[in-house]
Amino acid sequence: GAVVSQHPSWVICKSGTSVKIECRSLDFQATTMFWYRQFPKQSLMLMATSNEGSKATYEQGVEKDKFLINHASLTLSTLTVTSAHPEDSSFYICSASVSGGANEQFFGPGTRLTVL
Amino acid sequence: QKEVEQDPGPLSVPEGAIVSLNCTYSNSAFQYFMWYRQYSRKGPELLMYTYSSGNKEDGRFTAQVDKSSKYISLFIRDSQPSDSATYLCAMSAGNYGQNFVFGPGTRLSVLP
């Protein structure tokens, strides 16, 4: 149980385009989903916390107009990187919480974004 | 000083060895402590979840928390090559994950 999927698993795009990443909880309903970014050999950096039906809460320094998060249902959250640039290239990982808190997060497999 | 510190490694051990992974932290409000395992190019997987001080055992894994020293450990007995991964500690101040933070991770390599 507690399986989280992400799609796509990797994407390459041109600078200036927008990319949408989907995060789905497959066998449970997730009140809260989290979006992280991870650069090579570094830890996960929380970008935003997303609650179903409400606006996401962004961490300090994360541009909410650049990283659009939508949590339309209890099993789906999307992250859209708008007008992507090479510095946005990273590993994006989502997680979902059954309880709504961060202590017991179940992570997706991640999405590798490369912006040319 | 970073809020959570962890030796980045890499730590290389022979198969069958006992592995000790550690994190130190500065925020005395942390009460919930977690260990995650992350394979290369994959999302982290929750291994252990403990509250306050003490020990917790699950198979080959034992988690220890010493709040007085602000020090937590994960021990892996009879280590296997499949244990080769990055191990991330995480902690929070409340049961709802308040002030949740990850450590930077330790890369472990278990050699056959």
Side-chain angles (χ1 to χ4, degrees), chain A residues 38 43 100-105 107-109, chain B residues 34 38 43-44 49 92 94 96-97 103:
Chain A
Q38 186 176 35
S43 191
N103 285 355
E104 291 183 277
Q105 300 175 60
F107 285 84
Chain B
M34 291 131 279
Q38 184 179 22
Y49 176 23
S92 73
Y96 205 70

Side-chain angles (χ1 to χ4, degrees), chain A residues 31-32 36 38 41-46 51 91 93 99-110 112, chain B residues 32 34 36 38 41-46 49 88 91-98 100 102-105 107:
Chain A
T31 305
T32 305
Y36 292 85
Q38 186 176 35
K41 298 188 179 181
Q42 294 187 26
S43 191
L44 288 79
M45 297 301 296
L46 179 65
N51 290 297
F91 194 50
I93 307 176
S99 64
N103 285 355
E104 291 183 277
Q105 300 175 60
F106 297 93
F107 285 84
R112 172 79 54 192
Chain B
Y32 296 83
M34 291 131 279
Y36 285 84
Q38 184 179 22
R41 299 176 182 264
K42 299 291 184 183
E45 170 193 10
L46 180 64
Y49 176 23
L88 301 147
M91 46 198 76
S92 73
N95 62 354
Y96 205 70
Q98 295 91 325
F100 184 92
F102 273 105
R107 288 176 56 204

Side-chain angles (χ1 to χ4, degrees), chain B residues 9-10 12 21 34 40 42 46 58 61-62 65 73 79 91 103 106:
Chain B
S12 295
L21 303 166
M34 291 131 279
S40 181
K42 299 291 184 183
L46 180 64
D58 184 1
F61 298 93
T62 299
V65 175
S73 300
S79 56
M91 46 198 76
T106 298

Side-chain angles (χ1 to χ4, degrees), chain B residues 11 21 26 28 33-34 40-41 49 51 53 57 63 69-70 73-74 77 79 82 84 92 96 101 105 112:
Chain B
L11 175 63
L21 303 166
S26 58
S28 58
F33 304 91
M34 291 131 279
S40 181
R41 299 176 182 264
Y49 176 23
Y51 168 69
S53 288
E57 187 173 321
S69 301
K70 297 190 181 69
S73 300
L74 177 71
R77 290 183 298 281
S79 56
S82 58
S84 298
S92 73
Y96 205 70
V101 63

